[in-house]
Amino acid sequence: MLSNFMNTSAMPNGKCGIRALLLAMLLLVVAPAHAVEIDDLYSAEVPVDPNDSDSRETAYERALQQVLIRVTGSEDAAFSPELKALFPNPARYVLQYRPGEGNSLWVMLDGAAIEDVLRRASMPVWGNDRPLTVLWIAVDWGLGERELLLAAPAQNARKPAGTVDRAQSLRDRIQRVARARGVPVVFPTLAADDDRISFSDVWGGFHERLMDASRAYGSSSILVGRLRADAVERNRWSYYVGTQQRQWAGEAEDAIHLLADSLAGEFAFAGNAGIETVSLSIANVGSAGAFAAVQGLVDGLDMVAAYTVTEVSGNQIRYSIDINGGARRLAAVLDLRAELARATVSPLNSGAAPVRSTATLFYDYRPATRGME
């Protein structure tokens, strides 16, 4: 029980106080990764026309367009007159540049300055801490050739000639669009002889097994694809995000664009969205290790302005969280955490007065019990 090792109902305000108090515990327990921090969110490699007298300025503009697509979460950002008017001089935001491969230029832009302009204009901003999406894609190449698209072909896998090249080409196409949209994705790393997940599980729609296996990656953002190379039937996609499910059809590139649009709709918030206080209760935190994992999760939420641990009782812990975007944004983030599940209202029973807030969220902690091969 939490009360056995934490007998206080109030904790210091702010992240710094929490980190200091729990440093020893957090050093002993490492919480699983739930999101990916995009390191190259504000850099782009763009083509350069050697015959263009303004090639560098043109490259700066193209790089800014690519960055705005990722930061706003909107593919239309590259063609928006409104956004173009906000950045009349792209060169002003260039921090570094260097020649790229072939006739290209690598450009690093000032992300903080760009976000500041967007926020002051009340435009949407999507930070660089983004949820990871697990891709389960089954491909029917035709003539009896079928495979589950893995991160890399298994060394002992027996594949017909040319299959590996086709699979790699498909992976490259998906990764290219994912990078352009700033969406982190991962293919499963199952061994060829792993009997837990198979082509049939994906093709047959046994998605409960896929969601269970995806917990090892610390994500509840899961994209399932069933593709036919001969295009006789439309490719089918199922997207699971938190408790929601969506169905799509189309090519792999289309699915990644729809994935990016969906995630941006949840996580990109306008700069004028006010800070609200949300009460968050997490139950089933029954050990020091669980407490450290939950604490690490909350402490790692970059969109949180400040928080306080207001109460610990039994196996439950309650936070008061100040967040830009309020309960909707916090729930969107927490729903993607594989080790958290929405719970029915179950208030702490210590008798303490509830936290004054605009909303209350309830979750159960459910750590993964196994990992991937």
Side-chain angles (χ1 to χ4, degrees):
M1 304 288 282
L2 273 179
S3 54
N4 292 335
F5 61 89
M6 285 290 295
N7 58 8
T8 179
S9 62
M11 302 286 285
N13 290 334
K15 295 186 177 181
C16 291
I18 294 296
R19 286 196 185 99
L21 184 62
L22 299 173
L23 180 59
M25 186 182 298
L26 293 175
L27 287 175
L28 295 175
V29 180
V30 178
H34 318 287
V36 173
E37 187 170 307
I38 309 298
D39 295 328
D40 59 352
L41 190 64
Y42 302 105
S43 66
E45 188 168 339
V46 295
V48 174
D49 182 357
N51 299 317
D52 183 358
S53 59
D54 296 324
S55 60
R56 185 173 298 176
E57 287 70 21
T58 302
Y60 292 163
E61 182 177 1
R62 289 175 176 172
L64 178 61
Q65 289 174 340
Q66 290 189 21
V67 168
L68 288 175
I69 290 174
R70 298 179 198 145
V71 175
T72 64
S74 171
E75 193 179 13
D76 295 334
F79 312 100
S80 168
E82 184 179 5
L83 283 180
K84 188 172 183 178
L86 291 176
F87 301 94
N89 183 15
R92 176 183 176 185
Y93 301 93
V94 175
L95 295 179
Q96 301 177 45
Y97 67 89
R98 63 171 180 261
E101 295 184 4
N103 292 321
S104 68
L105 190 70
W106 178 88
V107 183
M108 169 65 75
L109 300 173
D110 188 340
I114 291 172
E115 288 191 12
D116 183 60
V117 171
L118 293 172
R119 288 195 173 95
R120 283 191 282 110
S122 299
M123 299 298 292
V125 175
W126 189 8
N128 66 341
D129 189 17
R130 305 188 173 195
L132 180 69
T133 298
V134 184
L135 304 179
W136 297 96
I137 301 177
V139 186
D140 185 346
W141 298 111
L143 300 177
E145 299 176 15
R146 298 178 171 185
E147 72 174 305
L148 179 62
L149 203 63
L150 302 178
Q155 293 182 354
N156 60 343
R158 296 180 179 177
K159 298 178 182 293
T163 300
V164 173
D165 290 339
R166 289 185 296 185
Q168 185 60 53
S169 176
L170 180 56
R171 280 192 293 268
D172 290 344
R173 286 164 48 198
I174 291 172
Q175 291 284 12
R176 190 177 304 115
V177 177
R179 283 194 298 269
R181 295 299 304 271
V183 176
V185 298
V186 62
F187 293 96
T189 56
L190 299 173
D193 59 352
D194 193 305
D195 61 356
R196 285 181 292 165
I197 300 297
S198 66
F199 173 93
S200 299
D201 291 321
V202 178
W203 197 266
F206 298 101
H207 295 171
E208 289 293 333
R209 297 194 68 192
L210 305 183
M211 288 186 279
D212 180 56
S214 297
R215 291 185 63 203
Y217 295 94
S219 178
S220 293
S221 177
I222 304 165
L223 182 60
V224 182
R226 286 153 288 184
L227 282 62
R228 289 184 182 274
D230 56 15
V232 173
E233 294 184 17
R234 300 184 69 189
N235 298 327
R236 297 174 294 160
W237 300 87
S238 299
Y239 179 47
Y240 299 88
V241 54
T243 59
Q244 304 176 45
Q245 178 182 354
R246 298 163 191 172
Q247 302 291 332
W248 299 326
E251 295 298 322
E253 292 89 344
D254 299 328
I256 299 303
H257 281 300
L258 289 169
L259 167 66
D261 292 341
S262 296
L263 291 174
E266 294 289 344
F267 294 100
F269 277 75
N272 61 350
I275 292 179
E276 300 177 15
T277 301
V278 180
S279 177
L280 170 65
S281 288
I282 301 179
N284 196 35
V285 188
S287 67
F291 181 86
V294 169
Q295 188 60 43
L297 185 154
V298 175
D299 199 55
L301 297 175
D302 289 342
M303 72 289 299
V304 170
Y307 72 82
T308 304
V309 177
T310 59
E311 186 178 359
V312 177
S313 178
N315 68 348
Q316 299 186 64
I317 181 170
R318 177 186 284 159
Y319 298 88
S320 174
I321 296 179
D322 295 335
I323 180 172
N324 181 276
R328 176 177 169 270
R329 187 180 189 190
L330 181 59
V333 172
L334 297 180
D335 284 346
L336 289 178
R337 272 34 182 187
E339 73 277 37
L340 291 181
R342 286 282 192 117
T344 57
V345 176
S346 178
L348 294 168
N349 57 10
S350 64
V355 177
R356 184 178 182 273
S357 62
T358 57
T360 300
L361 299 175
F362 297 91
Y363 285 84
D364 287 329
Y365 176 64
R366 50 172 195 177
T369 56
R370 69 184 184 190
M372 299 295 258
E373 295 291 337

